[in-house]
Amino acid sequence: MLFHLALVSLASAVVAQDLGVPLSWREFNNSRPLSERITIAQNAINEMTPQLDSSTGEFNGLGYWQSGNVWSVLANQDHSAGTTTNKALVVNNLNLVFSRWAHYDQFGWWAQAALYGYRAYGDTNLLAHAVDVWTHVTGYVITAAQAAAGKNPNKSFTIESTCNGITMAGGVFWRPTTDDTSVNSITTGLYLTLSAFLAEYTGNATYTQAAILSANWIKNHNINANDLVLDTVDAQDCSTSPATWLFTYNSGKYIEGLSVLAVVAGDTQWSTLMINILNAAVKTTVWQGSNGVITEGASPSADNDDVGFKAILIRGLHEAWTRNPSNTALRTLIHSYGDVQYNALLELAATGNTYSSSWLGPPQAFTSWGQLAALDVMTANIDTN
Ligand SMILES: *[C@@H]1O[C@H](CO)[C@@H](O)[C@H](O)[C@H]1NC(C)=O
Ligand SMILES: *[C@@H]1O[C@H](CO)[C@@H](O)[C@H](O)[C@H]1NC(C)=O
Ligand SMILES: CC(=O)N[C@H]1CO[C@H](CO)[C@@H](O)[C@@H]1O
């Protein structure tokens, strides 16, 4: 018995994560009260909404997927603040966009916005949009049978049954084009997250199974030795994106999806994996210095995809915070990292209520992409501060 206990404690000592906050981080606390944090976040949103093109539901100066993320943060703002300030804008514009484009879009960003809208407002039309996109994207998921057969009905080439000896089942093709061979973490992570949320909202086990399959694909194929999520695997020949292709949003979206999956599947393996990746993501030197401030996607003069990535990490951390109320060390780490970004934006990158995409500054005049990148920090801090 004693021997057994000793073995158990040795094993847990080996796998236990040190979730300590690095003391080199810049200003990892913030004393602003809740009401002020809600106001700061809504004020930031109010600088963004004049950029809306009301004929398209998208925003001037942003890519279409970044525009979807503006709607996500507006819904999450109301959800966290307990308000309905943004409700009409969110519901009307998501309905507009889904009426303009059938099952908009194949990568899942707009469906994710619709699910946050459903969470905030209980609007069942938004849930239906998300289910529609989920059904469409499911045609691009490699099922176990398709992996075994080497064939996906929407793809024109033979797919590898396994890569490195492990089934390709659960991977999601990035682009719908019939000859595009890339399966990537963001598309798979989005599908995992959509599936996990749909499982939670509908209680339908089909979504839980889909979430587990895609969570396993990333776990088996696309995590590096430092617990960071990699980008792409080619389903035709198992070649991969360069090891240096490390972006906040790949880890961030996986953190979010696993946080929800752990709850809906009732399986702690997913929270254990999530915590490992989260701890790595907030401490890696790939996208932040020893002061902890994210440097990825700092682009004062022009928008690019990278600018929108870091918001996805912050949102994933917020979901992890929400889903793990009794893990004090994890919550302290998320709170501290969130405050590092919050204080940097407020002190180094702000012009009034607008923010530079360079979170270390200097401040500059409003840009749509700088504002987009900051919105999730402001809204997440309503809770995590
Ligand atoms: C952090 O906490 C210290 C000590 O309470 C306080 O003096 C400081 O103002 C806080 N920092 C911020 C940014 O609120
Ligand atoms: C569960 O969801 C799947 C996928 O959308 C659907 O085909 C199935 O009809 C649903 N089952 C029930 C009982 O609603
Ligand atoms: C967009 C598209 O063509 N999707 C198809 C993918 O394959 C499934 C299964 O054959 C079809 O039902 C979808 O229509």
Side-chain angles (χ1 to χ4, degrees):
M1 185 62 188
L2 276 176
F3 177 65
H4 175 72
L5 279 178
L7 266 186
V8 167
S9 67
L10 179 66
S12 58
V14 170
V15 298
Q17 287 283 312
D18 174 4
L19 297 176
V21 174
L23 297 178
S24 61
W25 280 3
R26 180 185 183 278
E27 293 185 34
F28 49 85
N29 69 302
N30 190 290
S31 53
R32 292 174 194 262
L34 176 64
S35 60
E36 189 180 350
R37 302 198 303 276
I38 291 173
T39 301
I40 287 172
Q42 186 62 47
N43 285 346
I45 287 170
N46 295 346
E47 298 284 344
M48 188 75 229
T49 45
Q51 301 304 317
L52 174 64
D53 178 341
S54 58
S55 67
T56 63
E58 298 185 25
F59 292 85
N60 301 322
L62 297 183
Y64 73 94
W65 74 274
Q66 296 173 327
S67 285
N69 280 303
V70 177
W71 297 121
S72 287
V73 81
L74 263 68
N76 287 342
Q77 170 76 13
D78 277 337
H79 180 62
S80 289
T83 52
T84 52
T85 311
N86 306 301
K87 178 179 176 180
L89 265 183
V90 171
V91 172
N92 293 341
N93 282 284
L94 289 178
N95 284 334
L96 167 68
V97 165
F98 282 100
S99 72
R100 293 186 72 229
W101 309 98
H103 26 253
Y104 196 63
D105 65 16
Q106 66 270 37
F107 308 122
W109 294 107
W110 289 78
Q112 184 74 73
L115 278 179
Y116 297 138
Y118 176 69
R119 174 167 70 178
Y121 313 120
D123 184 309
T124 51
N125 283 330
L126 297 181
L127 182 63
H129 294 320
V131 170
D132 180 43
V133 173
W134 182 91
T135 303
H136 178 72
V137 176
T138 298
Y140 298 92
V141 180
I142 302 172
T143 65
Q146 289 169 14
K151 190 87 194 95
N152 172 284
N154 296 311
K155 293 292 174 177
S156 58
F157 52 89
T158 301
I159 55 183
E160 296 278 3
S161 299
T162 64
C163 289
N164 298 312
I166 305 175
T167 177
M168 284 291 280
V172 185
F173 284 102
W174 177 32
R175 289 184 161 129
T177 328
T178 55
D179 62 355
D180 195 295
T181 56
S182 293
V183 172
N184 71 7
S185 285
I186 194 60
T187 313
T188 305
L190 273 158
Y191 183 77
L192 148 65
T193 309
L194 291 184
S195 300
F197 273 108
L198 287 173
E200 181 166 53
Y201 296 144
T202 68
N204 182 332
T206 299
Y207 300 119
T208 317
Q209 294 312 315
I212 291 170
L213 198 67
S214 287
N216 271 317
W217 185 84
I218 294 178
K219 177 183 149 194
N220 291 332
H221 293 284
N222 239 10
I223 301 178
N224 75 10
N226 297 322
D227 290 331
L228 298 175
V229 176
L230 293 157
D231 199 81
T232 300
V233 177
D234 187 312
Q236 190 174 25
D237 64 10
C238 297
S239 62
T240 63
S241 54
T244 50
W245 280 23
L246 294 167
F247 308 113
T248 50
Y249 78 155
N250 284 326
S251 291
K253 201 69 206 175
Y254 197 44
I255 288 166
E256 182 180 4
L258 291 181
S259 296
V260 182
L261 177 58
V263 175
V264 296
D267 184 345
T268 55
Q269 73 153 306
W270 301 118
S271 33
T272 302
L273 178 60
M274 181 279 287
I275 289 167
N276 289 346
I277 291 166
L278 189 154
N279 198 32
V282 300
K283 293 175 183 173
T284 179
T285 54
V286 173
W287 49 68
Q288 58 231 334
S290 60
N291 64 5
V293 180
I294 299 176
T295 51
E296 182 192 77
S299 182
S301 55
D303 187 26
N304 56 52
D305 280 335
D306 291 24
V307 179
F309 290 171
K310 52 198 171 190
I312 308 306
L313 172 60
I314 298 297
R315 195 187 306 153
L317 299 178
H318 182 196
E319 198 66 36
W321 187 92
T322 305
R323 302 284 178 166
N324 293 275
S326 57
N327 190 334
T328 309
L330 180 71
R331 279 195 154 200
T332 299
L333 182 63
I334 295 168
H335 146 87
S336 302
Y337 188 75
D339 273 352
V340 169
Q341 314 312 324
Y342 195 54
N343 290 328
L345 278 164
L346 291 169
E347 295 167 9
L348 307 176
T351 304
N353 293 308
T354 73
Y355 304 95
S356 171
S357 62
S358 177
W359 291 0
L360 284 166
Q364 63 172 131
F366 172 87
T367 65
S368 292
W369 55 94
Q371 199 69 5
L372 162 73
L375 291 180
D376 274 282
V377 177
M378 302 308 167
T379 291
N381 258 62
I382 292 172
D383 287 331
T384 65
N385 184 78

